[in-house]
Amino acid sequence: CFLSLQKREISNFDYLMYLNTLAGRSYNDYMQYPVFPWVLADYHSETLNLTDPHTFRDLSKPMGAQTVERKQKFIQRFNEVEKNLSAQCHYCTHYSSAIIVASYLVRMEPFTQTFCSLQGGSFDVADRMFHSVRSTWESASRDNMSDVRELTPEFFYLPEFLTNANHFELGCMQDGTVLGDVQLPPWADGDPHKFIFLHRQALESDYVSAHLHRWIDLIFGHKQHGSAAVEAVNTYHPYFYGDKMDLNNIKDPLIKGTILGFISNFGQIPKQV
């Protein structure tokens, strides 16, 4: 399959879906939903230049290391673990979880009801809802130390998830903005179909094709855990590594329940492929 990718016989999208399937990710499981990368870093320009490397996200680095300042903060967290945390890691949150998936797709059923269920029966505070592609990128790549989320496959083929066609009352932000359709980058001209078209073009671009293997190493490959992950600033709370934990040897039901709940609510590292 990798040779087919190199020869351009399959698309980057199809290859990523193949890897997700091999790693146990499925549309049928919100806790192990297919994970896709942010591929762009330009959500502010009037036009999208797919020949400029600066248009793209650095696929060799996890979301927590997209800026030098943020990367250093996570390295500091890792090094100061004995004073502050119960487990040594860079990230205590995950890049893919049930709540992340449901929040992205909240404007469509059955994700609407799933999101509300996970939130205790109602929508979240409006300012925390997914409402803007640009602000979500800025949060996940730069501004929020608790946010290292990646994307779902729908960002590359499904314009409907970006519109509030069901007219859900999603609330009003503190600045007075009433939430409705997702705010799109200027280069999308307010058109969800154009956003998906250009976003998919970006995924299949020469730049992403040349660098996608670096992101795959982080999520599915040898930089997923161990010394290579530490060097890549890519380690997560031990509970996220579900297949590395032998729950059968944990006798305390409270501890076992805590671990299972942690995995269910906060995400799980894909199986290494």
Side-chain angles (χ1 to χ4, degrees), residues 102-175:
S103 68
Y104 278 147
L105 306 176
V106 68
R107 290 164 178 79
M108 300 189 309
E109 293 288 13
F111 301 97
T112 311
Q113 292 304 313
T114 299
F115 182 83
C116 290
S117 296
L118 292 170
Q119 286 294 127
S122 62
F123 291 118
D124 198 0
V125 175
D127 286 83
R128 292 201 297 258
M129 295 281 286
F130 173 52
H131 67 278
S132 161
V133 177
R134 177 177 177 174
S135 66
T136 302
W137 159 255
E138 291 173 348
S139 172
S141 67
R142 187 187 70 196
D143 297 338
N144 188 345
M145 291 290 286
S146 297
D147 184 4
V148 292
R149 81 189 94 167
E150 294 280 7
L151 300 181
T152 64
E154 287 81 1
F155 276 82
F156 300 95
Y157 71 84
L158 190 68
E160 286 78 12
F161 89 95
L162 298 165
T163 64
N164 188 21
N166 292 315
H167 305 291
F168 293 119
E169 294 184 5
L170 303 173
C172 181
M173 298 174 64
Q174 290 185 358
D175 64 4

Side-chain angles (χ1 to χ4, degrees), residues 19-237:
L19 284 177
N20 272 282
T21 301
L22 283 180
R25 316 293 287 191
S26 168
Y27 283 119
N28 298 321
D29 186 350
Y30 293 172
M31 293 179 289
Q32 296 193 77
Y33 206 77
V35 56
F36 268 59
W38 290 94
V39 293
L40 294 174
D42 183 354
Y43 296 98
H44 56 271
S45 297
E46 293 294 329
T47 57
L48 191 62
N49 183 359
L50 296 181
T51 63
D52 183 357
H54 295 98
T55 297
F56 297 91
R57 167 254 182 104
D58 188 341
L59 288 160
S60 70
K61 296 181 174 66
M63 289 302 293
Q66 290 297 305
T67 69
V68 174
E69 297 81 4
R70 197 170 190 232
K71 177 182 178 181
Q72 290 305 314
K73 288 180 181 178
F74 281 120
I75 291 175
Q76 183 179 3
R77 170 188 284 179
F78 184 90
N79 292 333
E80 294 180 351
V81 63
E82 292 182 353
K83 288 182 280 186
N84 300 317
L85 299 169
S86 59
Q88 191 170 38
C89 60
H90 295 108
Y91 314 116
C92 294
T93 54
H94 200 253
Y95 49 77
S96 177
S97 66
I99 192 65
I100 289 172
V101 171
S103 68
Y104 278 147
L105 306 176
V106 68
R107 290 164 178 79
M108 300 189 309
E109 293 288 13
F111 301 97
T112 311
Q113 292 304 313
T114 299
F115 182 83
C116 290
S117 296
L118 292 170
Q119 286 294 127
S122 62
F123 291 118
D124 198 0
V125 175
D127 286 83
R128 292 201 297 258
M129 295 281 286
F130 173 52
H131 67 278
S132 161
V133 177
R134 177 177 177 174
S135 66
T136 302
W137 159 255
E138 291 173 348
S139 172
S141 67
R142 187 187 70 196
D143 297 338
N144 188 345
M145 291 290 286
S146 297
D147 184 4
V148 292
R149 81 189 94 167
E150 294 280 7
L151 300 181
T152 64
E154 287 81 1
F155 276 82
F156 300 95
Y157 71 84
L158 190 68
E160 286 78 12
F161 89 95
L162 298 165
T163 64
N164 188 21
N166 292 315
H167 305 291
F168 293 119
E169 294 184 5
L170 303 173
C172 181
M173 298 174 64
Q174 290 185 358
D175 64 4
T177 302
V178 177
L179 298 194
D181 297 345
V182 175
Q183 296 173 12
L184 302 176
W187 46 259
D189 296 327
D191 183 350
H193 290 83
K194 185 173 182 179
F195 172 83
I196 295 294
F197 175 76
L198 291 175
H199 209 214
R200 183 63 172 266
Q201 277 197 325
L203 178 64
E204 305 299 341
S205 67
D206 290 340
Y207 180 90
V208 171
S209 295
H211 295 86
L212 186 57
H213 66 283
R214 298 182 180 275
W215 182 83
I216 290 170
D217 286 343
L218 295 169
I219 306 301
F220 301 105
H222 75 286
K223 293 183 179 180
Q224 190 190 76
H225 59 83
S227 59
V230 174
E231 186 177 347
V233 193
N234 191 45
T235 66
Y236 297 81
H237 193 285

